[in-house]
Amino acid sequence: MLEVKNVKKSFGDNQVLKGIDLKVNKGDIIVILGPSGSGKTTFLRSLNFLEKADSGTMDFDEIHTEFSNASGKVIIKVRKKTAFVFQNYNLFQNKTALQNVMEGLVTARRVPRKESEERAKKALDKVGLSGRYDYYPYQLSGGQQQRVGIARAVVVNPDILLFDEPTSALDPELIGEVLAVMKSLAEEGATMIVVTHEMSFAQEVASRIVFMDGGVVVEEGSAREIFTAPKEERTRQFLRRIIRDYDYVI
Amino acid sequence: MQLNTEFMRQTLIDVLAGVPVTLKLTFVTLLLSAPPAFWIALGKTEGGKNRGKISGVYVSVVRGTPVVVQILFLYSLLPTMLNYLIKNVFRLDFNIFNIDAVWYAYIIFILNTTAVLSEVFRSALLAVDGGQLEAALSIGLSRRQAYMRIIIPQALMSALPNICNTTVSLLKNSSLAFMMTVKDITAIAKVKAAYGYNYIEAYLVILLMYVILCSVVQGIFRLLENAVSVRRRAAV
Ligand SMILES: Nc1ncnc2c1ncn2[C@@H]1O[C@H](COP(=O)(O)OP(=O)(O)O)[C@@H](O)[C@H]1O
Ligand SMILES: [Mg+2]
């Protein structure tokens, strides 16, 4: 469904992505792991052109494009086929939960208002926010805001959902509710690319794990392969550090 | 000292005739300045190089000079310049020196207010979190849609107090229109005062008049701000 090759990106003379390849099939749950600063966010943002990669190619269903010279039309097309869930939610502050979820339907896709509202309500119900349609973002907890963020992404039926550390801005007791929503999406067959530090989520849900470090993909494999028999020393080191912290938190 | 109250009553009645002129000067200027001000503000925040530079010069000239000097300069320059254009470039048979002076007042105040408002809008746009634009783009909105539906409404909300300040100072500055022979409340009071040498009484009347007008404007903006935040709260 989606295949990107040799994605490169520099900020000044800081090369952040040094040629990333990734292939995504329908129904894949790809979890990207890696230390902070390894380029995970930049890569994810490049996929829907929030960041403009310097080079590389994208094949996305009928779309074939270079990252460097993608036209405005292609960019909008890709954005309509994907949806992004942000680390700090980025809900529209001037809109209610329901309006946040409707916006992508009504304005971007010209879906009639009535149908949009029904679909948006269904999406909010699904993430457990049926009583919060008319709340503004500042009236919701972080976990609720992020679930609105997920509903806003899901409602447009994107081909691929992109999650950038969706739980890392949340208080520990609110993480579970968001992960539960993501798990149920995975069970329904959604295609997702998830950057996260939640190892239990990665272990349970990922169909493939990609370990990134220093702007390259160091290793890639099933959850079992990565967690029980990592081939690369860098992967091992990272897991040891993360799992120790993880134990420590518990 | 004895105030001539009968004269003050008379002046008040005469001055009231100038109130619509003052208000029109203020609000028409405000409305016509807002769109170009937004355009300049966007040019600066969105980084269009040349647009940013040219508007930067314009804004600093306007902000770095007294309004009185702007009026003196433009009011002497504009008629001559327009006359030249009409006669030599467009070759029209039209006497520019016959047009109502209020048009010059509009041009000058719009040039001035556009610069001030562009700074107000610019800081308001910068105050909107960058994630808002990214979220809008990520769900497939065009840049234009994102600005119209997400960024500008939020910017306007946070700009309201500064727009209020701009309006009040514009209302006060509009008193300088008398320099261009516009019959606003200040001009009327000046004529009345000179007639019987009742300067103190005449100016006291318009002083109070400006206090009242400015308070009303501030009151309206306060209502507006409340309405915005009540609408958000009432939604619960
Ligand atoms: N907009 C930017 N401008 C300059 N440097 C950036 C920008 N965004 C990210 N970087 C740099 O790119 C590197 C990778 O960042 P990021 O993709 O956020 O990593 P991760 O998400 O894996 O923590 C970091 O060194 C970061 O400082
Ligand atoms: Mg990151």
Side-chain angles (χ1 to χ4, degrees):
Chain A
M1 176 161 67
L2 170 70
E3 181 165 17
V4 295
K5 282 192 190 138
N6 208 15
V7 183
K8 292 184 182 167
K9 169 76 185 174
S10 303
F11 293 107
D13 7 319
N14 177 14
Q15 191 173 17
V16 174
L17 301 178
K18 299 175 180 160
I20 306 273
D21 300 332
L22 185 71
K23 196 168 173 196
V24 185
N25 296 313
K26 195 164 164 37
D28 277 353
I29 313 290
I30 294 174
V31 169
I32 302 181
L33 301 178
S36 149
S38 56
K40 307 181 297 294
T41 297
T42 306
F43 176 63
L44 211 59
R45 288 164 55 84
S46 301
L47 290 181
N48 76 342
F49 297 94
L50 285 180
E51 208 72 72
K52 195 166 186 293
D54 304 326
S55 65
T57 57
M58 168 185 271
D59 290 279
F60 193 173
D61 295 332
E62 76 284 2
I63 302 169
H64 311 281
T65 186
E66 302 264 331
F67 279 99
S68 53
N69 63 7
S71 67
K73 259 204 191 112
V74 164
I75 290 175
I76 293 250
K77 239 186 191 171
V78 170
R79 284 184 181 149
K80 285 187 178 167
K81 287 165 72 68
T82 56
F84 204 101
V85 176
F86 297 86
Q87 185 170 350
N88 48 359
Y89 338 127
N90 286 343
L91 296 187
F92 305 132
Q93 297 298 318
N94 59 328
K95 298 194 177 290
T96 62
L98 186 62
Q99 291 167 339
N100 262 277
V101 180
M102 287 171 64
E103 190 64 28
L105 295 171
V106 176
T107 306
R109 290 165 185 80
R110 304 260 167 244
V111 176
R113 185 161 285 278
K114 199 144 180 259
E115 184 193 333
S116 301
E117 190 173 323
E118 277 163 23
R119 283 170 63 179
K121 283 182 173 167
K122 240 185 232 152
L124 282 168
D125 296 348
K126 210 158 104 184
V127 298
L129 290 174
S130 37
R132 298 284 188 277
Y133 296 159
D134 297 327
Y135 281 51
Y136 281 89
Y138 67 93
Q139 297 166 321
L140 298 170
S141 74
Q144 292 171 331
Q145 289 193 52
Q146 191 58 296
R147 285 186 278 149
V148 175
I150 294 174
R152 179 175 69 179
V154 169
V155 77
V156 297
N157 291 327
D159 295 322
I160 302 184
L161 282 160
L162 307 170
F163 292 83
D164 187 17
E165 301 202 29
T167 58
S168 59
L170 294 174
D171 293 336
E173 73 270 21
L174 300 177
I175 291 177
E177 62 190 55
V178 171
L179 289 180
V181 167
M182 291 169 62
K183 266 181 210 168
S184 74
L185 287 173
E187 278 156 18
E188 288 167 23
T191 309
M192 305 167 33
I193 304 178
V194 184
V195 174
T196 185
H197 292 297
E198 295 297 325
M199 291 301 145
S200 60
F201 178 85
Q203 255 164 332
E204 283 173 48
V205 184
S207 56
R208 204 157 86 243
I209 289 183
V210 173
F211 175 66
M212 270 178 76
D213 194 5
V216 296
V217 173
V218 175
E219 185 167 357
E220 152 166 24
S222 70
R224 169 111 52 81
E225 286 165 345
I226 297 290
F227 283 109
T228 60
K231 294 193 196 74
E232 302 291 329
E233 179 54 29
R234 273 199 278 179
T235 319
R236 248 171 273 154
Q237 274 177 6
F238 171 77
L239 288 175
R240 226 177 294 142
R241 207 169 57 235
I242 286 279
I243 308 272
R244 193 193 53 214
D245 288 351
Y246 185 70
D247 287 337
Y248 182 73
V249 170
I250 289 172
Chain B
M1 190 185 78
Q2 185 75 44
L3 287 179
N4 183 341
T5 49
E6 174 54 24
F7 172 79
M8 285 175 70
R9 203 179 61 82
Q10 269 301 323
T11 309
L12 179 63
I13 291 168
D14 288 0
V15 159
L16 282 177
V19 170
V21 178
T22 294
L23 289 181
K24 235 164 80 186
L25 211 46
T26 304
F27 287 98
V28 170
T29 299
L30 197 65
L31 283 180
L32 293 182
S33 302
F38 240 116
W39 186 78
I40 290 173
L42 280 175
K44 283 190 168 176
T45 54
E46 291 278 278
K49 285 274 150 47
N50 285 327
R51 193 161 127 202
K53 246 184 226 151
I54 293 169
S55 52
V57 170
Y58 158 63
V59 170
S60 39
V61 167
V62 171
R63 304 206 73 189
T65 51
V67 183
V68 179
V69 175
Q70 291 166 21
I71 292 174
L72 288 172
F73 177 66
L74 287 173
Y75 193 48
S76 13
L77 175 74
L78 277 178
T80 326
M81 200 179 75
L82 288 176
N83 188 46
Y84 177 84
L85 285 179
I86 286 169
K87 291 278 144 62
N88 297 311
V89 179
F90 300 114
R91 302 195 176 283
L92 295 173
D93 185 23
F94 177 76
N95 189 349
I96 192 73
F97 297 104
N98 282 345
I99 74 161
D100 193 330
V102 80
W103 292 105
Y104 293 116
Y106 278 127
I107 293 175
I108 292 168
F109 286 128
I110 286 170
L111 281 174
N112 184 281
T113 306
T114 297
V116 177
L117 271 185
S118 76
E119 289 292 284
V120 169
F121 291 153
R122 188 178 69 94
S123 64
L125 285 170
L126 288 177
V128 177
D129 184 79
Q132 298 286 307
L133 176 61
E134 296 197 337
L137 296 178
S138 80
I139 55 169
L141 268 61
S142 67
R143 253 189 134 66
R144 191 189 156 74
Q145 289 171 330
Y147 268 93
M148 295 307 285
R149 301 189 49 86
I150 309 294
I151 313 294
I152 291 177
Q154 289 183 41
L156 274 182
M157 232 181 269
S158 70
L160 268 181
N162 283 330
I163 297 175
C164 176
N165 290 342
T166 307
T167 310
V168 167
S169 69
L170 172 60
L171 196 150
K172 291 187 287 187
N173 282 339
S174 77
S175 65
L176 295 169
F178 81 85
M179 295 168 65
M180 295 169 275
T181 72
V182 174
K183 300 268 177 300
D184 75 326
I185 59 184
T186 303
I188 293 171
K190 270 181 77 73
V191 171
K192 287 289 286 186
Y195 190 69
Y197 301 107
N198 297 338
Y199 292 106
I200 294 175
E201 283 96 336
Y203 293 150
L204 182 59
V205 167
I206 57 167
L207 194 134
L208 293 174
M209 191 63 96
Y210 278 111
V211 170
I212 292 169
L213 289 177
C214 288
S215 309
V216 169
V217 167
Q218 281 168 323
I220 290 171
F221 270 95
R222 201 157 308 133
L223 287 178
L224 218 61
E225 278 170 50
N226 286 341
V228 169
S229 51
V230 165
R231 189 170 56 79
R232 301 171 104 207
R233 257 181 271 125
V236 183

